[in-house]
Amino acid sequence: MKNNIFTIFKKEMARFFKDKRLVITTILLPGIMIYAMYTFMGTMMSKQFSVADDYVSKIYVKNMPESLKAELYAPIFEIKDVKDKIDEEKGLVKEKLADALIIFPENFDEAVDAYEAKAGGKAPSVEIYYNSAREESSVTYEAVSNILEQYETKLSNKFDVNLEEGTVYDLAAKEDMTGKMLGSLLPMLLMIFIWSGCMAVAPESIAGEKERGTIATLLVTPMRRGDLALGKIMALSIIALLSGISSFIGTFMSLPAMYQGMSAAVDVSFYGVTEFALLFAIIITTTLFMVAIISVISAFAKSVKEAATLMSPLMMIIMIMSFLPMIMDGESGSSYAMFFIPLYNNVLCMHDIFTFSYSTMNVAVSMAVNLVCIGGMIFLLTKMFNSEKVMFSK
């Protein structure tokens, strides 16, 4: 029995690794492409939604008040006074040739001193024109708005909020921020990567051999059909796992570039041996399960193309499952029964591991469910191999 399984295993591994192009496209290329794509996306997004540190905003100001000259005549602003007409300056902002136009009421300081909220009446109003389609203009608007808000606070300061210097008021741990960002993204990516790796090899191994007629040679050999099913699934799982690991490494390497525009840094050093061991165990059983599912569908299909068509709905289901933890805001782990749902339990485990909220028992339950489902799929695949109607259908 073991010799038969090992023989099928060696045959599948040799078929794959002798084809250098298949090795490159299935194992090496996914990780390289993911790293290049996400690094490029992160770099472009960072450039699109950020402004250079030495950028000087070009601002036109009408009726500049004495009280705000110190704040507005700062190195980060290039202030130009406007005397009368403002249509030309508005046009410059609209055409992205200037960053902002600020219009203060005449005698702004006197009007502010004379204004009393209790007495009613209209408060002095400051107008800021900017162009939100230009990132520099939006950043300038935010900077000027902050200056005006701080000035307004000084005028009627009744109490302060978070004023003590050196005190950290945000009590969120850095690992929690890392977990929040990775937990919302990586489970979905990992499930897609694993599925893609399985799809790259499993249909060709079974549906492809049915389509070419070579499966008949294996079926007439004196071996148990269960050995044939197990040998194929073992080999395909290792190949698919290598593809998933390549994608996983490419994703992790590209994370700094993906999040470089965010205030909180992603630091994978918070994850220890336990987290990586549990994650790897889940990835292995998930890969085995997906390979088993795809193998069963491939055995039912008459061709590789038909197998891919039949698997499309399952791919959509997996993607929807991968999004659910983000929608449910991480509270899915509170329901123990969720870890008995095939495939979805793997998404939950990945999410909980990345967010440091995992339970070893939940991971063990998910792995046990995966193994039971894998056994069921192997049993079903054996029955399909024993069916002449299924294996020789045209």
Side-chain angles (χ1 to χ4, degrees):
M1 176 181 175
K2 291 183 179 179
N3 289 336
N4 291 334
I5 296 174
F6 188 61
T7 300
I8 297 298
F9 176 82
K10 287 195 302 181
K11 171 187 172 297
E12 292 297 328
M13 296 296 285
R15 180 186 67 83
F16 178 81
F17 283 101
K18 284 182 180 179
D19 190 338
K20 294 182 180 180
R21 290 182 297 180
L22 190 60
V23 172
I24 292 173
T25 56
T26 303
I27 298 178
L28 298 179
L29 195 59
I32 296 173
M33 290 295 294
I34 288 169
Y35 173 77
M37 180 179 66
Y38 287 162
T39 299
F40 177 78
M41 288 174 56
T43 303
M44 291 298 100
M45 290 177 65
S46 177
K47 289 182 178 180
Q48 183 178 357
F49 298 107
S50 62
V51 176
D53 295 334
D54 58 350
Y55 181 77
V56 178
S57 301
K58 187 176 181 180
I59 304 175
Y60 290 94
V61 180
K62 183 176 182 180
N63 302 323
M64 170 71 80
E66 292 292 331
S67 58
L68 288 169
K69 281 187 176 181
E71 286 79 5
L72 292 178
Y73 281 106
I76 61 172
F77 298 139
E78 179 186 340
I79 302 296
K80 293 188 177 182
D81 292 327
V82 180
K83 298 301 182 182
D84 297 317
K85 297 182 179 180
I86 59 174
D87 292 338
E88 182 179 348
E89 285 72 19
K90 281 185 179 180
L92 293 174
V93 174
K94 185 176 181 180
E95 297 298 326
K96 303 180 182 179
L97 299 176
D99 296 307
L101 167 64
I102 309 174
I103 303 176
F104 291 95
E106 293 185 8
N107 303 317
F108 175 75
D109 291 335
E110 291 79 358
V112 169
D113 292 336
Y115 176 73
E116 293 185 6
K118 293 182 179 179
K122 188 176 181 180
S125 177
V126 180
E127 297 176 289
I128 306 175
Y129 295 92
Y130 70 105
N131 190 334
S132 60
R134 173 178 164 86
E135 189 62 28
E136 291 84 355
S137 182
S138 296
V139 171
T140 301
Y141 171 77
E142 292 179 3
V144 173
S145 296
N146 289 334
I147 290 174
L148 295 177
E149 288 176 2
Q150 291 175 6
Y151 175 71
E152 183 183 18
T153 301
K154 290 180 181 178
L155 294 178
S156 57
N157 190 21
K158 302 296 182 181
F159 62 90
D160 297 314
V161 178
N162 291 354
L163 189 63
E164 293 296 329
E165 295 184 3
T167 301
V168 179
Y169 294 98
D170 186 358
L171 302 180
K174 291 183 178 180
E175 57 264 34
D176 292 336
M177 295 301 298
T178 297
K180 180 180 180 180
M181 285 187 281
L182 298 191
S184 63
L185 175 68
L186 286 191
M188 177 191 66
L189 293 179
L190 281 175
M191 293 296 286
I192 293 175
F193 295 156
I194 294 172
W195 178 264
S196 300
C198 296
M199 281 290 296
V201 294
E204 177 63 29
S205 177
I206 298 178
E209 290 201 13
K210 282 185 64 177
E211 189 175 1
R212 293 188 298 270
T214 55
I215 193 72
T217 306
L218 292 174
L219 294 176
V220 298
T221 56
M223 72 168 64
R224 294 171 54 185
R225 302 294 171 89
D227 297 349
L228 176 60
L230 189 58
K232 278 186 171 290
I233 287 177
M234 287 175 58
L236 295 174
S237 298
I238 291 178
I239 297 170
L241 184 61
L242 291 175
S243 177
I245 291 175
S246 172
S247 302
F248 183 72
I249 293 174
T251 302
F252 258 89
M253 290 180 64
S254 64
L255 287 177
M258 287 178 64
Y259 290 102
Q260 64 181 332
M262 298 185 178
S263 58
V266 174
D267 188 358
V268 296
S269 64
F270 292 122
Y271 299 101
V273 177
T274 302
E275 286 79 18
F276 279 107
L278 292 175
L279 182 62
F280 190 65
I282 285 294
I283 288 176
I284 289 177
T285 55
T286 303
T287 303
L288 288 169
F289 187 21
M290 286 187 178
V291 165
I293 294 174
I294 294 175
S295 297
V296 169
I297 297 175
S298 298
F300 177 78
K302 298 177 182 179
S303 64
V304 175
K305 184 177 181 180
E306 182 182 352
T309 303
L310 292 174
M311 292 174 213
S312 298
L314 186 57
M315 176 62 183
M316 295 299 298
I317 293 173
I318 291 174
M319 291 187 65
I320 293 172
M321 287 182 174
S322 302
F323 277 109
L324 287 180
M326 289 188 288
I327 299 173
M328 300 175 72
D329 198 28
E331 297 180 0
S332 53
S334 59
S335 177
Y336 181 69
M338 292 290 184
F339 293 91
F340 287 91
I341 302 176
L343 292 179
Y344 184 53
N345 55 1
N346 302 314
V347 177
L348 293 180
C349 286
M350 292 177 187
H351 176 271
D352 290 349
I353 291 171
F354 282 120
T355 56
F356 305 97
S357 59
Y358 62 89
S359 166
T360 306
M361 179 59 70
N362 290 340
V363 175
V365 168
S366 297
M367 292 177 62
V369 171
N370 289 342
L371 293 175
V372 170
C373 293
I374 292 167
M377 291 292 129
I378 293 175
F379 176 78
L380 180 58
L381 186 62
T382 302
K383 291 294 184 182
M384 296 178 75
F385 280 166
N386 284 321
S387 173
E388 304 291 328
K389 183 178 180 181
V390 173
M391 299 311 298
F392 297 101
S393 60
K394 298 294 183 179

Short mmCIF file of all heavy atoms in Angstrom, two decimals, residues 39-49 260:
data_model
loop_
_atom_site.label_atom_id
_atom_site.label_comp_id
_atom_site.label_asym_id
_atom_site.label_seq_id
_atom_site.Cartn_x
_atom_site.Cartn_y
_atom_site.Cartn_z
N THR A 39 4.47 46.32 -3.72
CA THR A 39 5.47 47.36 -3.46
C THR A 39 5.21 48.58 -4.34
O THR A 39 5.27 49.72 -3.88
CB THR A 39 6.89 46.82 -3.72
OG1 THR A 39 7.14 45.71 -2.85
CG2 THR A 39 7.93 47.90 -3.45
N PHE A 40 4.91 48.33 -5.60
CA PHE A 40 4.60 49.42 -6.53
C PHE A 40 3.34 50.16 -6.09
O PHE A 40 3.30 51.40 -6.08
CB PHE A 40 4.43 48.87 -7.94
CG PHE A 40 4.03 49.89 -8.96
CD1 PHE A 40 4.96 50.78 -9.48
CD2 PHE A 40 2.71 49.98 -9.39
CE1 PHE A 40 4.58 51.74 -10.40
CE2 PHE A 40 2.33 50.93 -10.32
CZ PHE A 40 3.27 51.82 -10.84
N MET A 41 2.29 49.40 -5.71
CA MET A 41 1.05 50.02 -5.27
C MET A 41 1.26 50.87 -4.03
O MET A 41 0.76 52.00 -3.92
CB MET A 41 0.00 48.94 -4.99
CG MET A 41 -0.56 48.27 -6.23
SD MET A 41 -1.65 46.88 -5.83
CE MET A 41 -2.86 47.69 -4.79
N GLY A 42 2.01 50.34 -3.07
CA GLY A 42 2.27 51.09 -1.84
C GLY A 42 3.05 52.35 -2.10
O GLY A 42 2.75 53.41 -1.53
N THR A 43 4.06 52.26 -2.97
CA THR A 43 4.87 53.44 -3.29
C THR A 43 4.04 54.49 -4.00
O THR A 43 4.14 55.69 -3.68
CB THR A 43 6.07 53.02 -4.18
OG1 THR A 43 6.83 52.03 -3.50
CG2 THR A 43 6.95 54.22 -4.47
N MET A 44 3.22 54.06 -4.96
CA MET A 44 2.40 55.01 -5.70
C MET A 44 1.35 55.68 -4.80
O MET A 44 1.11 56.88 -4.88
CB MET A 44 1.72 54.32 -6.87
CG MET A 44 2.65 53.87 -7.98
SD MET A 44 3.53 55.26 -8.77
CE MET A 44 5.13 55.16 -7.96
N MET A 45 0.72 54.86 -3.92
CA MET A 45 -0.28 55.42 -3.02
C MET A 45 0.35 56.40 -2.04
O MET A 45 -0.24 57.42 -1.70
CB MET A 45 -0.99 54.29 -2.27
CG MET A 45 -1.91 53.45 -3.14
SD MET A 45 -2.66 52.08 -2.25
CE MET A 45 -3.67 52.98 -1.07
N SER A 46 1.55 56.07 -1.59
CA SER A 46 2.24 56.97 -0.66
C SER A 46 2.56 58.30 -1.33
O SER A 46 2.40 59.37 -0.73
CB SER A 46 3.53 56.31 -0.17
OG SER A 46 4.26 57.18 0.67
N LYS A 47 2.98 58.25 -2.60
CA LYS A 47 3.29 59.48 -3.31
C LYS A 47 2.02 60.28 -3.62
O LYS A 47 2.02 61.50 -3.62
CB LYS A 47 4.03 59.15 -4.61
CG LYS A 47 5.45 58.65 -4.39
CD LYS A 47 6.14 58.40 -5.71
CE LYS A 47 7.58 57.94 -5.49
NZ LYS A 47 8.27 57.69 -6.78
N GLN A 48 0.94 59.54 -3.90
CA GLN A 48 -0.30 60.21 -4.29
C GLN A 48 -0.95 60.93 -3.11
O GLN A 48 -1.53 62.00 -3.28
CB GLN A 48 -1.27 59.19 -4.88
CG GLN A 48 -2.58 59.81 -5.37
CD GLN A 48 -3.49 58.79 -6.00
OE1 GLN A 48 -3.15 57.62 -6.11
NE2 GLN A 48 -4.65 59.24 -6.41
N PHE A 49 -0.87 60.33 -1.92
CA PHE A 49 -1.58 60.88 -0.78
C PHE A 49 -0.66 61.51 0.26
O PHE A 49 -1.01 61.62 1.43
CB PHE A 49 -2.43 59.79 -0.11
CG PHE A 49 -3.48 59.23 -1.01
CD1 PHE A 49 -3.36 57.96 -1.55
CD2 PHE A 49 -4.60 59.99 -1.34
CE1 PHE A 49 -4.33 57.45 -2.39
CE2 PHE A 49 -5.57 59.48 -2.19
CZ PHE A 49 -5.44 58.21 -2.71
N GLN A 260 3.58 52.17 4.05
CA GLN A 260 4.51 53.23 4.36
C GLN A 260 3.83 54.60 4.48
O GLN A 260 4.35 55.49 5.14
CB GLN A 260 5.61 53.30 3.31
CG GLN A 260 5.12 53.65 1.91
CD GLN A 260 6.24 53.67 0.90
OE1 GLN A 260 7.38 53.94 1.25
NE2 GLN A 260 5.93 53.39 -0.36
#
